[in-house]
Amino acid sequence: FGLDRHAVIDAMILLRTLVAIVAAFAVVALLAWSPAKPVASGKVPVRYWVMIAAEDTESYSISSFNASRSDIEIQRTAIPWTEHEKKILTAVLSGDPPDVISQFAPVVQWASRMALTPLDDYIAASDLDTSVFFPALMDEMQWQGHTFALPVFTASYAFYYNKTIFREAGLDPERPPRTWDEVLRASAQIEQNDAEGRLLRVGYLPSFSAIQSVVLGSASAAQLMAWQLGADYLAADGEQVQLATPPVERAFAWTCDFYAERDLNTFAAFIGGLGTKDQHGFLTGKLAMAVLDMSFLGEIERHHPDLDFGVVSLPTFENGNSASVSGSWWLGIPRGAKHPDEAWEFIRHCVDKTTILEEALSRELALFPAHRDAAHDPRFFEQPHAPIFIQQMEHAHSPVVVPLAHSVFW
């Protein structure tokens, strides 16, 4: 199907007219909700809105910036996870947005709604070389030829497998599957059922994967496989989304082949019984192989430190290309920000190699640097399995390249 960019823009103008009435009522509420706090004489207050997460602490990037500047003070405001988008967009419409936002939702969803300030002039006037970021992440920052944000952190994925289960199934624990066809055969060998036919253990589940539900870079297993086969979901003219192509068809055919000789109801019941944290299928031994991001190493260390497992590059098709999936935590300047120049100074500080590295290493929740040099720094690179995840990032794709209608008007 095709997307008419001009029609979308016309519709957006109509939408802006309709929401203008709502914006008038939002001004008072927003000004009362998060006003700039008093600062030391001479300092410019820069309002920085972040989402409340499990680890809600003052970040290294804020403390180090404030300590190094006598002219600017970053004022952090935490926004509830369920309300962040509504509050930010309402603030933009009201004419009183924060100066900097930290987000994970695809940049195009914000840029297409005219909610962000282009950063092209700031980048051109600075010493920032954007090639230091992993390519897929910088691609995600673009919309209609302009850069609207900069990536700070991401998630990188690899193939985890349970060596103990491999041994029990008669598979070589030191030779994990290298191709998706080998994954298919290994899965059949690993599966176990009880006397009533209920699944007790499976090898791999294409319909149950971290890459389908994670915030950073949601994508299906079939979508990942299609990238490996050379799929390009966006036509060269940028106006058409391409789905009916041989790579996409072959990727979905693999998923169909996986389930062809299996009972879908049985698998659905099995998936419904899989949990999270210490009840995650990979940790409980119910799932032998999975595509998971680097932060899952922390889950293993926390909940099952004696687990015998391996981490390797994602399987591919025979003679196929390597490909992975990614997404970004990014920083941007909302349209209408009161202090855009000072906001840029803070963003420039946050995307510096040293800042990203220190921030990543200071957090209990593992963060993967968007900056290549930070990822290759010995302090990060020498962590267990890090080289594999870094290699996968060089072949990553961003799942979101254009906003669909629901993204524009949401």
Side-chain angles (χ1 to χ4, degrees), residues 20-54:
I21 299 173
V22 178
F25 292 98
V27 174
V28 175
L30 263 294
L31 288 175
W33 183 68
S34 181
K37 303 171 186 175
V39 297
S41 177
K43 286 193 174 185
V44 176
V46 172
R47 292 190 295 166
Y48 175 36
W49 286 9
V50 300
M51 286 176 293
I52 295 176

Side-chain angles (χ1 to χ4, degrees), residues 370-381:
H371 196 297
R372 282 165 149 169
D373 293 343
H376 283 278
D377 186 279
R379 295 172 62 193
F380 187 86
F381 188 84

Side-chain angles (χ1 to χ4, degrees), residues 158-310:
F159 193 72
Y160 289 64
Y161 70 101
N162 187 310
K163 292 187 176 182
T164 300
I165 294 178
F166 267 52
R167 294 188 191 95
E168 294 174 356
L171 298 167
D172 185 350
E174 302 309 320
R175 193 193 179 285
R178 295 185 176 91
T179 69
W180 289 112
D181 289 339
E182 289 181 359
V183 170
L184 198 65
R185 292 192 292 270
S187 291
Q189 198 165 333
I190 288 170
E191 283 176 25
Q192 284 185 345
N193 298 76
D194 63 16
E196 284 74 37
R198 291 187 294 263
L199 276 172
L200 299 175
R201 184 179 74 189
V202 300
Y204 177 74
L205 285 173
S207 55
F208 180 82
S209 174
I211 60 174
Q212 288 185 279
S213 58
V214 74
V215 166
L216 296 177
S218 58
S220 69
Q223 185 176 352
L224 171 62
M225 294 175 186
W227 273 322
Q228 294 179 337
L229 292 167
D232 191 343
Y233 292 103
L234 187 65
D237 61 6
E239 300 289 336
Q240 296 283 331
V241 175
Q242 305 176 131
L243 296 179
T245 62
V248 176
E249 291 170 358
R250 183 180 175 189
F252 276 93
W254 186 94
T255 304
C256 293
D257 290 343
F258 181 92
Y259 287 113
E261 299 180 0
R262 294 169 168 87
D263 181 74
L264 293 180
N265 291 329
T266 300
F267 269 78
F270 179 82
I271 293 173
L274 299 177
T276 59
K277 301 296 183 180
D278 61 335
Q279 294 303 304
H280 189 283
F282 190 78
L283 297 179
T284 59
K286 294 181 178 180
L287 181 63
M289 298 174 284
V291 176
L292 300 165
D293 76 291
M294 187 173 175
S295 70
F296 196 78
L297 295 172
E299 295 297 307
I300 295 175
E301 181 63 28
R302 216 171 355 262
H303 302 298
H304 200 338
D306 57 345
L307 183 67
D308 189 9
F309 71 101

Side-chain angles (χ1 to χ4, degrees), residues 299-344:
E299 295 297 307
I300 295 175
E301 181 63 28
R302 216 171 355 262
H303 302 298
H304 200 338
D306 57 345
L307 183 67
D308 189 9
F309 71 101
V311 178
V312 294
S313 297
L314 296 175
T316 63
F317 288 93
E318 199 70 45
N319 301 319
N321 299 316
S322 180
S324 185
V325 62
S326 68
S328 299
W329 280 98
W330 50 267
L331 296 174
I333 303 174
R335 177 170 56 87
K338 298 295 188 298
H339 306 293
D341 294 346
E342 290 80 5
W344 167 254

